Amino acid sequence: MALATAYAENEDFEEYVEGWATSDADALTRLLSRASDDVDSILGAYDFYESGDYAGRKLDPTTLTYSERRALVRATCAQVHYRFEMGEDFFTRPSVATSGPEFSMAQPASHVSPQTWRELAGSGLVRNTTSAQRGRAIAPPWGDFARNIEAD
């Protein structure tokens, strides 16, 4: 199966990361595709394109405004840099363990870099969605505490 077209090209990444020199263009292309998958995973409620140059992607950059396209390319490049720095093994482990003098915990590894989120901020490309079930409270169980604090 062929890789879906990435949101950024090798030249975009080389421009994004100052001083970067690509030694294996094919490896960078594959990394750009995986990073584009990561970006797709946080965009929210979009349908995937079924045909065309961006089949398998949530967005077609050719239909975006300049600022949206720039945010998408920069977010993809930020995610490539994160994947490169963290190493591919980081993205296959289920959690990251943290411990201190009196505690220890494990939490899911963040698969999307903070810089990726920052590059997408304000672009309007991330669609935050929520849902509610009929007859069930949307707020968490402790939500009544905050509303009824004056009543006590």
Side-chain angles (χ1 to χ4, degrees):
M1 184 173 159
L3 295 173
T5 303
Y7 290 132
E9 296 180 7
N10 292 16
E11 297 78 25
D12 297 321
F13 182 71
E14 291 165 351
E15 185 178 305
Y16 184 80
V17 179
E18 188 174 332
W20 180 270
T22 302
S23 58
D24 185 347
D26 291 337
L28 180 55
T29 299
R30 291 188 303 273
L31 194 55
L32 282 162
S33 183
R34 287 193 299 275
S36 295
D37 292 342
D38 294 339
V39 170
D40 273 345
S41 75
I42 63 171
L43 289 177
Y46 287 92
D47 292 327
F48 287 95
Y49 281 86
E50 294 180 17
S51 61
D53 290 340
Y54 291 91
R57 293 275 171 237
K58 289 187 174 184
L59 298 173
D60 179 346
T62 63
T63 64
L64 302 176
T65 66
Y66 171 79
S67 59
E68 291 169 335
R69 189 169 42 254
R70 183 176 185 274
L72 185 62
V73 166
R74 290 182 60 81
T76 303
C77 291
Q79 186 63 19
V80 168
H81 195 235
Y82 183 63
R83 278 185 161 273
F84 181 80
E85 290 294 326
M86 299 305 288
E88 289 297 313
D89 289 343
F90 175 81
F91 296 91
T92 59
R93 57 184 168 171
S95 63
V96 176
T98 306
S99 63
E102 297 179 13
F103 74 95
S104 66
M105 61 184 264
Q107 62 187 27
S110 176
H111 293 293
V112 178
S113 79
Q115 184 63 31
T116 300
W117 285 101
R118 280 192 292 277
E119 295 291 0
L120 288 170
S123 69
L125 294 174
V126 178
R127 293 182 177 175
N128 295 321
T129 59
T130 188
S131 63
Q133 282 183 307
R134 236 180 246 274
R136 301 204 72 197
I138 294 174
W142 50 266
D144 283 342
F145 170 77
R147 282 194 296 272
N148 295 327
I149 201 162
E150 298 281 326
D152 291 341

